Amino acid sequence: VFVWFGVSAKVKEKIIAMETVLEYVKKSSNHSSEVELLVTYAFQEPPEFTKYFHGWTRSKFPKNSPNNTQQRVRQLKDVLLEFKTEIFTIDELLSEKLPEQIDPTKLEMYLSEEDFESIFKMTKQEYSQMHSWKRERIKKEVGFF
């Protein structure tokens, strides 16, 4: 069973789609619990996916699409686990390539409480109660933006 992510799909939509597939397979009398659950991405679909769409052709892909010839398939449970991860290391959050599910305007909220307090010298709760302009100023002061 494939879950396909289009280029404009939002993170919450992707999570809902993956959870729906898990629930569907669990309740389905047509699928065993051993059925392979896979995620594929727009312009990176493998032949095992595209064979079900008779008019499918790579010639219609945009020339500037990322990894135009690369096929990308991942285990659904691995992708879902990544998307549900809420805590990241400082290095992961300050890297050039952020995980897809991260809101880059709120990097600080993905820190562990311990890392947050060591950088911001306050708890996440204290930080959240501040005015947004003050939070932005503090993020710039500590270099976390």
Side-chain angles (χ1 to χ4, degrees):
V1 174
F2 279 95
V3 174
W4 177 83
F5 291 161
V7 292
S8 61
K10 310 265 185 289
V11 169
K12 286 185 180 183
E13 295 169 334
K14 292 176 181 181
I15 292 171
I16 290 168
M18 290 185 283
E19 289 174 338
T20 301
V21 166
L22 288 171
E23 191 66 25
Y24 166 76
V25 169
K26 186 164 58 170
K27 292 181 178 179
S28 172
S29 59
N30 296 328
H31 298 89
S32 79
S33 60
E34 302 300 314
V35 69
E36 192 170 28
L37 304 176
L38 303 169
V39 172
T40 190
Y41 302 80
F43 310 121
Q44 299 176 2
E45 301 88 346
E48 299 82 24
F49 176 83
T50 60
K51 72 181 179 184
Y52 297 105
F53 303 93
H54 300 292
W56 200 280
T57 174
R58 291 199 177 282
S59 67
K60 295 183 180 178
F61 284 10
K63 297 291 183 228
N64 62 350
S65 67
N67 302 319
N68 196 328
T69 58
Q70 181 182 353
Q71 297 169 8
R72 186 169 170 209
V73 177
R74 298 187 55 213
Q75 293 293 320
L76 183 141
K77 287 186 179 184
D78 295 341
V79 177
L80 185 57
L81 184 63
E82 284 177 19
F83 274 70
K84 289 193 161 202
T85 300
E86 296 179 1
I87 303 296
F88 294 87
T89 66
I90 296 167
D91 290 340
E92 288 171 317
L93 293 171
L94 294 179
S95 71
E96 294 213 8
K97 182 149 175 51
L98 289 173
E100 183 180 353
Q101 69 273 26
I102 289 182
D103 178 349
T105 66
K106 297 177 181 166
L107 293 179
E108 69 280 8
M109 300 315 287
Y110 297 98
L111 289 167
S112 68
E113 192 66 45
E114 184 180 286
D115 285 343
F116 188 93
E117 288 180 23
S118 74
I119 293 171
F120 289 88
K121 309 298 184 222
M122 66 182 82
T123 66
K124 283 185 182 180
Q125 184 176 6
E126 292 169 329
Y127 178 82
S128 296
Q129 293 172 345
M130 296 176 150
H131 292 287
S132 61
W133 63 267
K134 196 168 188 177
R135 288 193 306 260
E136 290 301 313
R137 183 177 54 100
I138 291 171
K139 282 191 335 188
K140 289 178 184 173
E141 285 175 3
V142 299
F144 210 83
F145 57 92

